[in-house]
Amino acid sequence: MRALVQRVSRASVIIDGKEKREIGPGLVVLLGVKETDELSMCKKLAEKTAGLRIFDDDEGKLNVSAVDKGYSALVVSQFTLYGDTKKGKRPSFITAAKPPLSVDCYEEYLRQLKTQGLAEVQTGAFGADMQVEIHNDGPVTILLDTDEWRGPL
């Protein structure tokens, strides 16, 4: 899985042009699932996400997590994080997971993230048309990739 984590002053998502969900300060997580991912990865990824020390401490150093600050998270599914651009100009999404794995991993990640002590976890809607507004603070953007945690094959 890939989680593109952004520190934000505020963010929102409008789902299918109707429903709006929003957060104040916290994290926006764009989550992509790969065809070889497993549900067992979701807990560690959620822990890592919520515990990322990407907020300033009293000395202005990135040393505080969203949990420490009492902040929220907004999570949006994003299969395009697995766009392969090695050939040509049109990305291939062949390695992005398809349902049911993609949905199961997204939902398990959300379940695990909600247990990490964030003030709240808002979400987009899997597979929906979404308009995301992100006010990246800093900007600070971190890519977490579970492939980096795997041992040698």
PDB file of all heavy atoms in Angstrom, residues 108-129:
ATOM      1  N   GLU A 108     -10.122  -1.817   6.101  1.00  0.00           N
ATOM      2  CA  GLU A 108      -9.333  -2.265   7.250  1.00  0.00           C
ATOM      3  C   GLU A 108      -8.378  -1.167   7.707  1.00  0.00           C
ATOM      4  O   GLU A 108      -8.207  -0.952   8.906  1.00  0.00           O
ATOM      5  CB  GLU A 108      -8.555  -3.543   6.921  1.00  0.00           C
ATOM      6  CG  GLU A 108      -7.714  -4.064   8.060  1.00  0.00           C
ATOM      7  CD  GLU A 108      -8.498  -4.458   9.307  1.00  0.00           C
ATOM      8  OE1 GLU A 108      -9.736  -4.642   9.244  1.00  0.00           O
ATOM      9  OE2 GLU A 108      -7.858  -4.586  10.376  1.00  0.00           O
ATOM     10  N   TYR A 109      -7.772  -0.460   6.778  1.00  0.00           N
ATOM     11  CA  TYR A 109      -6.913   0.671   7.140  1.00  0.00           C
ATOM     12  C   TYR A 109      -7.711   1.703   7.932  1.00  0.00           C
ATOM     13  O   TYR A 109      -7.243   2.206   8.960  1.00  0.00           O
ATOM     14  CB  TYR A 109      -6.304   1.285   5.877  1.00  0.00           C
ATOM     15  CG  TYR A 109      -5.516   2.547   6.151  1.00  0.00           C
ATOM     16  CD1 TYR A 109      -4.221   2.479   6.655  1.00  0.00           C
ATOM     17  CD2 TYR A 109      -6.077   3.793   5.908  1.00  0.00           C
ATOM     18  CE1 TYR A 109      -3.499   3.637   6.915  1.00  0.00           C
ATOM     19  CE2 TYR A 109      -5.355   4.955   6.167  1.00  0.00           C
ATOM     20  CZ  TYR A 109      -4.086   4.877   6.673  1.00  0.00           C
ATOM     21  OH  TYR A 109      -3.387   6.022   6.935  1.00  0.00           O
ATOM     22  N   LEU A 110      -8.913   2.014   7.473  1.00  0.00           N
ATOM     23  CA  LEU A 110      -9.760   2.974   8.192  1.00  0.00           C
ATOM     24  C   LEU A 110     -10.084   2.480   9.600  1.00  0.00           C
ATOM     25  O   LEU A 110     -10.011   3.250  10.568  1.00  0.00           O
ATOM     26  CB  LEU A 110     -11.057   3.229   7.426  1.00  0.00           C
ATOM     27  CG  LEU A 110     -10.931   3.992   6.111  1.00  0.00           C
ATOM     28  CD1 LEU A 110     -12.273   4.049   5.402  1.00  0.00           C
ATOM     29  CD2 LEU A 110     -10.370   5.389   6.350  1.00  0.00           C
ATOM     30  N   ARG A 111     -10.445   1.196   9.721  1.00  0.00           N
ATOM     31  CA  ARG A 111     -10.735   0.628  11.050  1.00  0.00           C
ATOM     32  C   ARG A 111      -9.535   0.780  11.972  1.00  0.00           C
ATOM     33  O   ARG A 111      -9.667   1.186  13.126  1.00  0.00           O
ATOM     34  CB  ARG A 111     -11.107  -0.852  10.941  1.00  0.00           C
ATOM     35  CG  ARG A 111     -12.573  -1.114  10.669  1.00  0.00           C
ATOM     36  CD  ARG A 111     -12.952  -2.590  10.866  1.00  0.00           C
ATOM     37  NE  ARG A 111     -12.391  -3.471   9.848  1.00  0.00           N
ATOM     38  CZ  ARG A 111     -12.881  -3.637   8.631  1.00  0.00           C
ATOM     39  NH1 ARG A 111     -13.969  -2.984   8.268  1.00  0.00           N
ATOM     40  NH2 ARG A 111     -12.309  -4.457   7.773  1.00  0.00           N
ATOM     41  N   GLN A 112      -8.365   0.461  11.448  1.00  0.00           N
ATOM     42  CA  GLN A 112      -7.151   0.547  12.269  1.00  0.00           C
ATOM     43  C   GLN A 112      -6.790   2.005  12.595  1.00  0.00           C
ATOM     44  O   GLN A 112      -6.384   2.303  13.718  1.00  0.00           O
ATOM     45  CB  GLN A 112      -5.978  -0.133  11.551  1.00  0.00           C
ATOM     46  CG  GLN A 112      -6.141  -1.629  11.383  1.00  0.00           C
ATOM     47  CD  GLN A 112      -6.136  -2.365  12.708  1.00  0.00           C
ATOM     48  OE1 GLN A 112      -5.537  -1.941  13.689  1.00  0.00           O
ATOM     49  NE2 GLN A 112      -6.822  -3.496  12.736  1.00  0.00           N
ATOM     50  N   LEU A 113      -6.946   2.902  11.642  1.00  0.00           N
ATOM     51  CA  LEU A 113      -6.624   4.306  11.876  1.00  0.00           C
ATOM     52  C   LEU A 113      -7.523   4.907  12.956  1.00  0.00           C
ATOM     53  O   LEU A 113      -7.073   5.707  13.779  1.00  0.00           O
ATOM     54  CB  LEU A 113      -6.729   5.101  10.572  1.00  0.00           C
ATOM     55  CG  LEU A 113      -6.161   6.516  10.597  1.00  0.00           C
ATOM     56  CD1 LEU A 113      -4.653   6.503  10.891  1.00  0.00           C
ATOM     57  CD2 LEU A 113      -6.433   7.225   9.279  1.00  0.00           C
ATOM     58  N   LYS A 114      -8.772   4.482  12.974  1.00  0.00           N
ATOM     59  CA  LYS A 114      -9.716   5.004  13.971  1.00  0.00           C
ATOM     60  C   LYS A 114      -9.375   4.571  15.394  1.00  0.00           C
ATOM     61  O   LYS A 114      -9.898   5.141  16.345  1.00  0.00           O
ATOM     62  CB  LYS A 114     -11.146   4.582  13.605  1.00  0.00           C
ATOM     63  CG  LYS A 114     -11.659   5.314  12.382  1.00  0.00           C
ATOM     64  CD  LYS A 114     -13.036   4.824  11.957  1.00  0.00           C
ATOM     65  CE  LYS A 114     -13.503   5.569  10.716  1.00  0.00           C
ATOM     66  NZ  LYS A 114     -14.817   5.111  10.222  1.00  0.00           N
ATOM     67  N   THR A 115      -8.497   3.599  15.551  1.00  0.00           N
ATOM     68  CA  THR A 115      -8.104   3.148  16.897  1.00  0.00           C
ATOM     69  C   THR A 115      -6.815   3.812  17.372  1.00  0.00           C
ATOM     70  O   THR A 115      -6.332   3.496  18.463  1.00  0.00           O
ATOM     71  CB  THR A 115      -7.889   1.613  16.928  1.00  0.00           C
ATOM     72  OG1 THR A 115      -6.718   1.280  16.164  1.00  0.00           O
ATOM     73  CG2 THR A 115      -9.098   0.865  16.403  1.00  0.00           C
ATOM     74  N   GLN A 116      -6.270   4.722  16.601  1.00  0.00           N
ATOM     75  CA  GLN A 116      -4.955   5.285  16.902  1.00  0.00           C
ATOM     76  C   GLN A 116      -4.971   6.543  17.768  1.00  0.00           C
ATOM     77  O   GLN A 116      -3.917   7.052  18.121  1.00  0.00           O
ATOM     78  CB  GLN A 116      -4.189   5.569  15.607  1.00  0.00           C
ATOM     79  CG  GLN A 116      -3.931   4.349  14.759  1.00  0.00           C
ATOM     80  CD  GLN A 116      -3.188   3.264  15.508  1.00  0.00           C
ATOM     81  OE1 GLN A 116      -2.177   3.523  16.143  1.00  0.00           O
ATOM     82  NE2 GLN A 116      -3.695   2.037  15.441  1.00  0.00           N
ATOM     83  N   GLY A 117      -6.153   7.065  18.104  1.00  0.00           N
ATOM     84  CA  GLY A 117      -6.215   8.220  18.993  1.00  0.00           C
ATOM     85  C   GLY A 117      -6.344   9.568  18.319  1.00  0.00           C
ATOM     86  O   GLY A 117      -6.201  10.607  18.965  1.00  0.00           O
ATOM     87  N   LEU A 118      -6.633   9.577  17.020  1.00  0.00           N
ATOM     88  CA  LEU A 118      -6.911  10.839  16.338  1.00  0.00           C
ATOM     89  C   LEU A 118      -8.243  11.394  16.813  1.00  0.00           C
ATOM     90  O   LEU A 118      -9.122  10.637  17.255  1.00  0.00           O
ATOM     91  CB  LEU A 118      -6.939  10.618  14.829  1.00  0.00           C
ATOM     92  CG  LEU A 118      -5.603  10.242  14.189  1.00  0.00           C
ATOM     93  CD1 LEU A 118      -5.816   9.555  12.852  1.00  0.00           C
ATOM     94  CD2 LEU A 118      -4.724  11.469  14.049  1.00  0.00           C
ATOM     95  N   ALA A 119      -8.422  12.706  16.726  1.00  0.00           N
ATOM     96  CA  ALA A 119      -9.683  13.324  17.150  1.00  0.00           C
ATOM     97  C   ALA A 119     -10.863  12.756  16.359  1.00  0.00           C
ATOM     98  O   ALA A 119     -11.908  12.453  16.929  1.00  0.00           O
ATOM     99  CB  ALA A 119      -9.617  14.839  16.985  1.00  0.00           C
ATOM    100  N   GLU A 120     -10.682  12.605  15.049  1.00  0.00           N
ATOM    101  CA  GLU A 120     -11.692  11.991  14.194  1.00  0.00           C
ATOM    102  C   GLU A 120     -11.040  11.543  12.899  1.00  0.00           C
ATOM    103  O   GLU A 120      -9.965  12.017  12.540  1.00  0.00           O
ATOM    104  CB  GLU A 120     -12.857  12.945  13.902  1.00  0.00           C
ATOM    105  CG  GLU A 120     -12.485  14.109  13.011  1.00  0.00           C
ATOM    106  CD  GLU A 120     -13.665  14.981  12.614  1.00  0.00           C
ATOM    107  OE1 GLU A 120     -14.779  14.453  12.408  1.00  0.00           O
ATOM    108  OE2 GLU A 120     -13.462  16.195  12.490  1.00  0.00           O
ATOM    109  N   VAL A 121     -11.704  10.637  12.199  1.00  0.00           N
ATOM    110  CA  VAL A 121     -11.254  10.187  10.883  1.00  0.00           C
ATOM    111  C   VAL A 121     -12.424  10.349   9.926  1.00  0.00           C
ATOM    112  O   VAL A 121     -13.445   9.684  10.071  1.00  0.00           O
ATOM    113  CB  VAL A 121     -10.761   8.722  10.905  1.00  0.00           C
ATOM    114  CG1 VAL A 121     -10.389   8.271   9.496  1.00  0.00           C
ATOM    115  CG2 VAL A 121      -9.583   8.562  11.862  1.00  0.00           C
ATOM    116  N   GLN A 122     -12.275  11.264   8.987  1.00  0.00           N
ATOM    117  CA  GLN A 122     -13.264  11.462   7.939  1.00  0.00           C
ATOM    118  C   GLN A 122     -12.775  10.725   6.699  1.00  0.00           C
ATOM    119  O   GLN A 122     -11.582  10.460   6.553  1.00  0.00           O
ATOM    120  CB  GLN A 122     -13.429  12.950   7.628  1.00  0.00           C
ATOM    121  CG  GLN A 122     -14.070  13.748   8.725  1.00  0.00           C
ATOM    122  CD  GLN A 122     -15.560  13.452   8.837  1.00  0.00           C
ATOM    123  OE1 GLN A 122     -16.225  13.067   7.874  1.00  0.00           O
ATOM    124  NE2 GLN A 122     -16.088  13.633  10.029  1.00  0.00           N
ATOM    125  N   THR A 123     -13.699  10.404   5.799  1.00  0.00           N
ATOM    126  CA  THR A 123     -13.330   9.640   4.611  1.00  0.00           C
ATOM    127  C   THR A 123     -14.023  10.172   3.363  1.00  0.00           C
ATOM    128  O   THR A 123     -15.054  10.828   3.450  1.00  0.00           O
ATOM    129  CB  THR A 123     -13.722   8.157   4.754  1.00  0.00           C
ATOM    130  OG1 THR A 123     -15.153   8.057   4.767  1.00  0.00           O
ATOM    131  CG2 THR A 123     -13.149   7.552   6.009  1.00  0.00           C
ATOM    132  N   GLY A 124     -13.415   9.829   2.250  1.00  0.00           N
ATOM    133  CA  GLY A 124     -14.096   9.969   0.986  1.00  0.00           C
ATOM    134  C   GLY A 124     -15.009   8.757   0.847  1.00  0.00           C
ATOM    135  O   GLY A 124     -15.349   8.116   1.832  1.00  0.00           O
ATOM    136  N   ALA A 125     -15.383   8.431  -0.371  1.00  0.00           N
ATOM    137  CA  ALA A 125     -16.200   7.248  -0.632  1.00  0.00           C
ATOM    138  C   ALA A 125     -15.494   6.445  -1.716  1.00  0.00           C
ATOM    139  O   ALA A 125     -15.235   6.967  -2.804  1.00  0.00           O
ATOM    140  CB  ALA A 125     -17.609   7.624  -1.071  1.00  0.00           C
ATOM    141  N   PHE A 126     -15.187   5.208  -1.428  1.00  0.00           N
ATOM    142  CA  PHE A 126     -14.430   4.378  -2.348  1.00  0.00           C
ATOM    143  C   PHE A 126     -15.110   4.327  -3.712  1.00  0.00           C
ATOM    144  O   PHE A 126     -16.293   4.030  -3.824  1.00  0.00           O
ATOM    145  CB  PHE A 126     -14.270   2.958  -1.788  1.00  0.00           C
ATOM    146  CG  PHE A 126     -13.287   2.142  -2.557  1.00  0.00           C
ATOM    147  CD1 PHE A 126     -11.958   2.103  -2.185  1.00  0.00           C
ATOM    148  CD2 PHE A 126     -13.676   1.444  -3.693  1.00  0.00           C
ATOM    149  CE1 PHE A 126     -11.026   1.373  -2.911  1.00  0.00           C
ATOM    150  CE2 PHE A 126     -12.769   0.708  -4.426  1.00  0.00           C
ATOM    151  CZ  PHE A 126     -11.438   0.676  -4.030  1.00  0.00           C
ATOM    152  N   GLY A 127     -14.351   4.657  -4.754  1.00  0.00           N
ATOM    153  CA  GLY A 127     -14.853   4.564  -6.118  1.00  0.00           C
ATOM    154  C   GLY A 127     -15.741   5.703  -6.571  1.00  0.00           C
ATOM    155  O   GLY A 127     -16.182   5.721  -7.717  1.00  0.00           O
ATOM    156  N   ALA A 128     -16.008   6.664  -5.692  1.00  0.00           N
ATOM    157  CA  ALA A 128     -16.892   7.778  -6.050  1.00  0.00           C
ATOM    158  C   ALA A 128     -16.114   8.866  -6.764  1.00  0.00           C
ATOM    159  O   ALA A 128     -14.877   8.906  -6.724  1.00  0.00           O
ATOM    160  CB  ALA A 128     -17.533   8.357  -4.791  1.00  0.00           C
ATOM    161  N   ASP A 129     -16.835   9.765  -7.417  1.00  0.00           N
ATOM    162  CA  ASP A 129     -16.239  10.967  -7.973  1.00  0.00           C
ATOM    163  C   ASP A 129     -16.060  11.944  -6.817  1.00  0.00           C
ATOM    164  O   ASP A 129     -17.024  12.260  -6.108  1.00  0.00           O
ATOM    165  CB  ASP A 129     -17.141  11.581  -9.047  1.00  0.00           C
ATOM    166  CG  ASP A 129     -16.566  12.872  -9.586  1.00  0.00           C
ATOM    167  OD1 ASP A 129     -15.437  12.855 -10.101  1.00  0.00           O
ATOM    168  OD2 ASP A 129     -17.251  13.911  -9.463  1.00  0.00           O
TER     169      ASP A 129
END
